[in-house]
Amino acid sequence: MRQAMTGNEAVAYAMKQINPEVVAAYPITPQTGIMQKFADYVANGQVDTEFLTMDSEHSAMSATIGASAAGVRAMTATSSNGLAYMWEIVYIAASYRLPIVMPVVNRALSGPINIHCDHSDTMGCRDSGWIQIFSENSQEAYDNAVQALRIAEHPDVMLPVMITLDGFIISHALETLSTYEDDKVKKFIGNYIPKHPLINPSQPVTYGPLDFFDYYFEHKRQQAEGMVNAKKVIQEVGRAFEKEFNRSYGLFEEYRMADAELALIVLGSTAGTAKAVVDMVREKGYKIGLIKIRCFRPFPEEELAEALKRIKVLAVMDRSLGFNGVGGPLFNDVRAALFGRNAEIKVVNYVYGLGGREITPNDIWNICNNIRDINLTGKVQSSVNYVGVRE
Amino acid sequence: MASLKELSAREEIVAPGHRLCPGCGAAIVSRMVTKAAKNPLVVACATGCLEVSTTIYPYTSWKSSFLHVAFENSAASLSGTEAAYRALKKKGKIKEDIRFISFGGDGGTYDIGFQSLSGALERGHRMLVICYDNGAYMNTGIQRSSATPRGADTTTSPAGKEAYGKKEYPKDLTACVVAHDIPYAAQASPSHWNDLMKKVEKALEVDGPSFINVLSPCPLGWRYPGEESIELARLAVETGFWQLYEVENGVYKMNYNPKERKPIREWLEKQGRFRHLFTPANEHILQELQEYVDKKWDRLLKLCSITEEANKTK
């Protein structure tokens, strides 16, 4: 069915179809729209979820863990400082191997306080043990929400999943998207049979014991394996989704990459604008392509290196800073992926859009010109560049 | 309440072999509390002595299901579990009547866990929150908490040339909890075991949140020989430092009113943490503490009569 919805509404709609047993919520802009819409579904009896309105994001994540450990499907959503406030508990969710799904509406972190989009919030959680799947638009946010449960609950994975959508740009913009019938979504998701539920008097279990140096390492090692396995499972679920709903999803999307010598790498909503610019620049004769990273954690290192093997100059666009004196988080991961595999490629970082600063087609065109010049001269003036900032 | 015979026939939920100190109040309190429960339990624990000493992987002392998430969020975590239980009940996927108990020390309840506790009470989850109040952060080496009595020597409120220990009086957490207008709140002590267990039984039958603040002597932090724990708990009650009372639907009831309250000195002098108070220079602190106990006692008696009266006129 074609429906006009904001990104927040699209995610809430997926949550309605998922009908999780427990949803714990705390408001934060720009996520609030998801939970407001979901509260309507609860109020009108369209879901039978136990809806908990919490005292903070910290408590929201705690309750979501309590519910997931109990043996039911449990969800929450957040943004920015809310995610930062959850941070301690976000790690615990992953270490207990709980298949929680959490939409994160990307927003800049304080300070100074800013409510608009960048990726600094989720980047702070990139090593928390959560799978991170980025969305380009409302359609993808919806599709990712539908796929996330199957990924999280896969026995080889058993890790929580964040699905991200750019604050305001996706969350508040009205778009037309295809939604699927309730029963088809339900069938796709399937029933959840928890392995070790807390609520099972005949077989009591302990969650969260004290782990000393004699076991902690082993548990962390197993957790890391779940993340490795996730790569395969994300692709399998993507293929099953394509079969069922005719939309294709993998670890990343390649756009006009077949003969490309130059390429852009982006995350999230910027991919839409960047694809349009790639088309325009192509008309000028540049052999340029684009890669949109969908699955940021686990990071598709090998596959990415393979896709970039013919590229001479690569622009990595980061919508967050790495305060490391080196470059943004995506830039560092991409460079690490290429190290030892493709030493010839020149990788340049373009930091843009912090705190909701607009990124225009013209800005991206300039990036394309810049990497073409690098390709012609062989010289990289600056490996980290700031786009659209007053210097 | 269940007879001793009945109680002795019930399974011990906290199995022996845990690694709490000899004489630890929390060990005794958690055994009594879980023994008083007739239904299957799901227990949540805040990080603290009780949690770290009973769940050292790959062992657990808990024969019920047990959840520990972090220090400050046992009430919030258990909220989610209780909500999941309601969802499963609604769908007919679970038949048993389960009860939910959250344990936390004073640190995890009075201080860092206060918001999580308040939220859970306000949302009305059917769960019993037990605070085992040993008056400091014992698990991390006896640092002062907001439950630490005035005058106590702790590692972050040490007595010295210029200091007599903790300056502030303890936060009245039970009063804060009562202010949430929950159906049942109480204070109890392991020295009065039948009072404690009766309160647990009542609390678990309430259809909503309940709270019991239980005094929990700590041989290490209070500095006394472990075999005197129950005596110390009793003295806290006899001197009026720890009042046994309950608040049912807003009505206060004093559960134990000794004909003659013992002077607070008798409780203080048995504990190393107050030793420095027994010097001429600190004599005034002892006097102030006695005045504080008297004032709190009078206030509680007034609350009992006022709320009883108000209830009658309803």
Side-chain angles (χ1 to χ4, degrees):
Chain A
M1 191 167 60
R2 299 288 287 170
Q3 297 194 62
M5 285 192 218
T6 66
N8 276 345
E9 285 166 353
V11 171
Y13 191 77
M15 287 176 69
K16 184 190 83 149
Q17 295 181 312
I18 293 165
N19 192 9
E21 279 86 354
V22 176
V23 167
Y26 192 76
I28 181 166
T29 304
Q31 170 277 114
T32 321
I34 298 176
M35 287 307 176
Q36 284 175 354
K37 189 71 201 166
F38 194 76
D40 282 343
Y41 291 137
V42 176
N44 293 318
Q46 290 163 282
V47 291
D48 51 12
T49 304
E50 291 291 332
F51 184 60
L52 307 180
T53 44
M54 302 304 291
D55 46 271
S56 68
E57 288 91 350
H58 192 284
S59 287
M61 181 46 64
S62 304
T64 309
I65 286 182
S68 182
V72 302
R73 281 180 169 146
M75 296 180 77
T76 180
T78 195
S79 289
S80 183
N81 285 41
L83 180 60
Y85 191 32
M86 280 181 185
W87 200 77
E88 176 201 19
I89 312 303
V90 160
Y91 270 70
I92 295 173
S95 70
Y96 291 4
R97 310 297 296 272
L98 297 173
I100 292 165
V101 171
M102 174 166 70
V104 175
V105 185
N106 286 118
R107 162 184 157 184
L109 278 178
S110 296
I113 185 168
N114 175 298
I115 59 163
H116 290 286
C117 175
D118 71 34
H119 297 152
S120 53
D121 51 0
T122 35
M123 287 301 161
C125 285
R126 67 189 184 275
D127 295 324
S128 62
W130 282 59
I131 291 163
Q132 293 190 340
I133 297 177
F134 278 72
S135 321
E136 183 184 319
N137 47 41
S138 293
Q139 180 73 57
E140 290 195 6
Y142 170 73
D143 290 351
N144 286 336
V146 171
Q147 289 172 70
L149 273 183
R150 247 176 93 157
I151 297 165
E153 291 167 4
H154 194 285
D156 295 342
V157 179
M158 290 302 287
L159 285 175
V161 178
M162 275 177 212
I163 52 159
T164 79
L165 49 154
D166 285 350
F168 294 102
I169 301 164
I170 302 177
S171 67
H172 284 60
L174 201 63
E175 276 185 84
T176 312
L177 66 144
S178 295
T179 56
Y180 318 116
E181 288 158 34
D182 288 359
D183 55 345
K184 278 195 177 161
V185 171
K186 278 188 203 324
K187 202 180 136 219
F188 183 78
I189 294 164
N191 289 326
Y192 173 50
I193 300 156
K195 245 184 164 175
H196 306 290
L198 266 180
I199 305 233
N200 181 10
S202 60
Q203 206 174 356
V205 290
T206 290
Y207 272 83
L210 177 67
D211 239 13
F212 279 132
F213 38 74
D214 47 359
Y215 285 100
Y216 181 85
F217 205 166
E218 280 72 20
H219 288 147
K220 288 288 142 183
R221 174 69 182 83
Q222 290 175 3
Q223 194 185 327
E225 202 59 24
M227 191 58 86
V228 172
N229 296 343
K231 217 160 69 171
K232 194 174 108 265
V233 172
I234 289 165
Q235 289 169 292
E236 280 170 13
V237 172
R239 282 193 291 273
F241 188 85
E242 186 179 5
K243 216 172 137 196
E244 191 64 41
F245 303 115
N246 271 327
R247 286 182 191 280
S248 162
Y249 287 96
L251 300 170
F252 50 82
E253 181 191 332
E254 295 183 49
Y255 185 75
R256 303 190 77 164
M257 284 294 287
D259 63 338
E261 291 179 353
L262 309 173
L264 306 171
I265 291 199
V266 292
L267 281 169
S269 62
T270 311
T273 319
K275 282 175 193 167
V277 176
V278 164
D279 289 346
M280 291 190 272
V281 178
R282 275 266 173 187
E283 283 172 22
K284 297 271 170 195
Y286 297 20
K287 286 188 171 175
I288 192 160
L290 174 141
I291 286 184
K292 176 185 80 187
I293 303 281
R294 172 179 182 244
C295 167
F296 182 65
R297 284 290 178 273
F299 196 71
E301 194 181 52
E302 264 181 274
E303 295 81 354
L304 196 59
E306 177 63 26
L308 292 170
K309 68 180 178 199
R310 283 178 304 275
I311 299 298
K312 290 177 177 151
V313 188
L314 176 65
V316 181
M317 294 178 65
D318 263 296
R319 200 165 194 147
S320 57
L321 276 168
F323 293 103
N324 49 12
V326 183
L330 183 60
F331 175 61
N332 284 305
D333 280 346
V334 170
R335 280 204 309 179
L338 296 170
F339 186 80
R341 291 188 177 96
N342 187 347
E344 301 302 307
I345 190 168
K346 292 187 171 61
V347 191
V348 191
N349 194 195
Y350 296 87
V351 176
Y352 73 100
L354 300 190
R357 176 66 51 87
E358 222 171 45
I359 177 90
T360 63
N362 205 34
D363 291 328
I364 300 173
W365 192 297
N366 288 339
I367 294 171
C368 297
N369 272 335
N370 207 323
I371 55 173
R372 188 195 63 156
D373 291 346
I374 292 169
N375 196 28
L376 292 176
T377 61
K379 279 190 190 129
V380 177
Q381 300 285 354
S382 167
S383 64
V384 182
N385 304 275
Y386 296 89
V387 178
V389 69
R390 296 186 293 274
E391 302 267 5
Chain B
M1 101 162 240
S3 67
L4 262 181
K5 199 176 168 188
E6 281 167 340
L7 288 174
S8 63
R10 277 188 202 160
E11 190 184 27
E12 291 266 346
I13 298 298
V14 188
H18 57 70
R19 303 191 202 181
L20 286 155
C21 300
C24 169
I28 303 164
V29 168
S30 57
R31 280 182 64 203
M32 284 182 181
V33 167
T34 50
K35 193 91 168 158
K38 285 172 284 194
N39 298 76
L41 295 176
V42 175
V43 168
C45 230
T47 309
C49 295
L50 182 62
E51 173 264 327
V52 299
S53 304
T54 56
T55 65
I56 303 177
Y57 191 86
Y59 305 106
T60 178
S61 300
W62 296 89
K63 290 189 187 170
S64 65
S65 269
F66 177 93
L67 171 70
H68 160 250
V69 180
F71 188 14
E72 65 285 33
N73 62 353
S74 60
S77 310
L78 200 59
S79 298
T81 310
E82 188 267 348
Y85 166 70
R86 274 187 279 131
L88 292 169
K89 268 263 162 168
K90 206 159 58 182
K91 291 182 176 176
K93 287 186 177 172
I94 182 98
K95 298 276 177 288
E96 294 93 338
D97 276 327
I98 299 176
R99 296 287 183 271
F100 297 85
I101 303 181
S102 156
F103 284 100
D106 46 295
T109 316
Y110 281 68
D111 292 334
I112 196 170
F114 187 62
Q115 176 184 311
S116 156
L117 167 68
S118 175
L121 300 179
E122 185 268 334
R123 285 188 304 274
H125 296 278
R126 184 171 181 169
M127 62 163 81
L128 165 59
V129 177
I130 300 280
C131 173
Y132 64 95
D133 180 357
N134 52 28
Y137 291 86
M138 299 309 184
N139 187 44
T140 42
I142 318 162
Q143 292 81 29
R144 64 87 90 182
S145 78
S146 66
T148 303
R150 178 167 149 93
D153 170 60
T154 75
T155 51
T156 50
S157 63
K161 269 186 200 158
E162 304 291 333
Y164 52 82
K166 193 198 178 204
K167 282 195 191 111
E168 303 81 11
Y169 288 104
K171 183 194 281 181
D172 191 343
L173 179 66
T174 313
C176 298
V177 166
V178 170
H180 287 76
D181 280 338
I182 59 166
Y184 189 81
Q187 280 196 180
S189 161
S191 55
H192 296 65
W193 64 270
N194 46 357
D195 174 74
L196 189 163
M197 292 171 88
K198 201 153 59 184
K199 283 171 176 169
V200 173
E201 281 190 352
K202 263 191 189 179
L204 290 175
E205 285 315 303
V206 160
D207 189 12
S210 51
F211 171 84
I212 306 177
N213 201 352
V214 190
L215 186 71
S216 183
C218 171
L220 198 70
W222 295 12
R223 284 183 268 147
Y224 65 86
E227 63 270 23
E228 291 174 15
S229 287
I230 295 300
E231 192 188 335
L232 261 289
R234 188 177 306 282
L235 265 176
V237 175
E238 301 281 350
T239 57
F241 172 79
W242 195 255
Q243 307 139 333
L244 304 185
Y245 70 99
E246 62 190 345
V247 187
E248 264 184 285
N249 300 312
V251 180
Y252 281 73
K253 189 183 169 194
M254 188 80 101
N255 304 112
Y256 180 70
N257 192 351
K259 274 204 183 102
E260 253 179 71
R261 262 184 297 126
K262 289 181 176 166
I264 188 71
R265 300 177 68 102
E266 288 190 28
W267 183 62
L268 300 172
E269 68 193 1
K270 285 195 167 287
Q271 304 173 55
R273 61 176 174 159
F274 297 116
R275 188 167 297 140
H276 57 283
L277 297 182
F278 293 86
T279 58
N282 286 333
E283 189 64 32
H284 68 285
I285 306 292
L286 290 177
Q287 205 180 322
E288 283 166 31
L289 285 171
Q290 187 59 57
E291 284 163 15
Y292 165 79
V293 167
D294 293 344
K295 206 173 85 186
K296 291 289 272 189
W297 193 268
D298 289 344
R299 186 176 166 272
L300 184 58
L301 283 178
K302 276 184 193 138
L303 278 170
C304 291
S305 69
I306 291 167
T307 55
E308 197 190 359
E309 205 53 42
N311 203 42
K312 269 186 207 158
T313 55
K314 253 193 239 173

